Amino acid sequence: MAKKTATKKKSVASKVTKTSVKTSTASKGAVAKAAKKTVKKPAPRKSTTARRPKGPVWQWSAVDTAAAIRNGAISAVETVEAHLERMRAVNPRLNAVVVDLSEEALKAAHAADKQRAKGVALGLLHGVPITIKENVDYEGRPNFNGVPANKDFVAPSDSPVVRNLKKAGAIVIGLTNTPEFSFRGFTDNPLHGLTLNPWDPNITCGGSSGGAGSAVAAGIGTIAHGNDIGGSLRWPAHCNGVATIKPTQGRIPAFNGSATAERPMLAHLMSAQGPLARHVGDVRLALDVMSQRDPRDPWWVPAPLAGPKPKGPIKVALARIPEDMDVDPSVRAALRQAADHLERSGYRVTEVDVPDIDGVWQTWCDIITNETVVMQEAGMLKVTSEDFHKAWGGMKTKANALDLKAWMQATAARNGHIRAWQLFFEEYPVVLAPTTVKPTPGPRDDTVSADRVKEIFWGEIRFISAINVLGLPGAVVPVTLHDGRPIGVQLIAGRYREDLALDAAAAIEKRAGVLAHRLWETME
């Protein structure tokens, strides 16, 4: 099936354009400058000291964009218009943004410019264009989550992550695609269709935040919101050659008022909201904004965004890959390259075994699968496509069926796994691990067979999904290209130490560069 989809770029793109896009009616120094909470007096509209970043507006980082708007080098309206123009130019062939919010985005941009002119306190992302994944509540709109039957689940208010981004001044230009119930690692659904990878239509953009990853890599918005329960931030970041952070559980508040029931316990404890962006500095800035308190999430934790710095040189554990995982040479080379970048930046990298990665992954698989079967499966299967049924059936093949006692034992085992990793971080504050050990698969590989799905989740992306059951932060940063396709690596740190993971990611990015610049050369 993947081969039928993976045709020449133009023919695939022409099919995607049939999917309609709905229109709504209704640098660290740079980070520091952008991170000032308030501005007492506005800078002059045009200033001789106002510095405009180089290149097209849509190519700027979020940090640079926020600074340029703040100092008067560009208006919010001009910024948003540039991103909307970029969206109109590339989205028809990608189908990454599935709800076009151009009209309200321009209204918000005009309001943002008036605020600045009046000297109103400016948020960290004042006037900065972003996208939101269409599986969190966006006030007044249905929360489709890739399912046509969800048309009546209209959001009564913005979800906490949307509210926090808007409060910081970010301007939402569109909502991005996600698979049905955000349950697949491939972004396709009967409502909006297939989302393509901007690097190559023959490989997946990932999932479930595939629309987010595709959009931000292509230059649609500076930051893309996504979420992650089994790799749904880190997998698309790898596939699309961008950076991300899956935060510690409790770091970013979450809630959907449109939901008809509360989420099951372990699904909530293993899920996290987060940003995708082309620059690690933008990921860090977005994390700051997204993580502000919201009383609707009882699991939110007011933990500081930065902790004490470990004694140098910081020891990094290069995770030894289990022998049963068939590692592609390109992946080994990328991991070695990332390790070299870290060592040249002052880290000390040693290849070691991490605590029971196989057992951790199996615990994730058993818990999430059994909880879903009991609480959600029947309802989901009634309203989803045959592709969903195939993919979900494949996900279940590696899970053990648990009775109540066994399920409780599995949830208890989770505590032991977390403890073992926390003790491991005492010696190695950062773990360098693969995202996948194989080349990126085709756009619909999870519909080939149940065995193929098992192969992907267990045999290829084991190091991604396992981290969710631990609730640990994990960053992904692109390292290199192989056959014109991006390869990223994962940086894992202890609970609420996103700063350590992002520091290591930034060290790699400094030497590897921002891969999106190379993508844009091929897209023009």
Side-chain angles (χ1 to χ4, degrees), residues 272-445:
Q273 307 293 316
L276 299 101
R278 299 180 292 269
H279 301 257
V280 173
D282 292 350
V283 171
R284 197 188 300 269
L285 179 59
L287 176 65
D288 186 356
V289 168
M290 291 179 171
S291 62
Q292 299 305 304
R293 174 183 180 271
D294 191 296
R296 293 174 291 176
D297 186 348
W299 295 99
W300 178 80
V301 177
L305 284 168
K309 188 173 182 178
K311 294 181 180 179
I314 297 175
K315 295 174 66 177
V316 175
L318 172 57
R320 186 170 288 121
I321 301 174
E323 292 183 359
D324 66 321
M325 297 183 78
D326 182 19
V327 186
D328 190 83
S330 64
V331 173
R332 287 200 187 276
L335 284 167
R336 187 65 258 169
Q337 188 174 343
D340 289 344
H341 290 333
L342 289 173
E343 288 175 334
R344 291 174 63 192
S345 300
Y347 291 84
R348 182 181 297 167
V349 182
T350 307
E351 184 174 7
V352 296
D353 290 313
V354 295
D356 192 14
I357 191 67
D358 297 349
V360 171
W361 186 93
Q362 191 64 58
T363 300
W364 168 82
C365 184
D366 289 348
I367 288 176
I368 194 69
T369 301
N370 281 270
E371 190 174 74
T372 301
V373 167
V374 172
M375 301 292 291
Q376 299 167 285
E377 182 182 57
M380 290 194 304
L381 293 180
K382 287 180 181 179
V383 297
T384 47
S385 68
E386 185 61 28
D387 282 348
F388 178 91
H389 293 191
K390 290 178 182 177
W392 171 236
M395 292 179 200
K396 294 194 297 181
T397 58
K398 194 72 172 61
N400 297 306
L402 306 178
D403 59 17
L404 179 58
K405 180 179 179 180
W407 188 83
M408 294 176 73
Q409 289 173 332
T411 61
R414 172 178 178 266
N415 296 333
H417 287 308
I418 295 173
R419 184 178 300 109
W421 276 74
Q422 283 296 106
L423 290 170
F424 185 80
F425 288 127
E426 290 294 299
E427 183 173 1
Y428 298 97
V430 177
V431 172
L432 169 61
T435 49
T436 178
V437 299
K438 303 295 284 185
T440 304
R444 291 193 177 99
D445 260 26

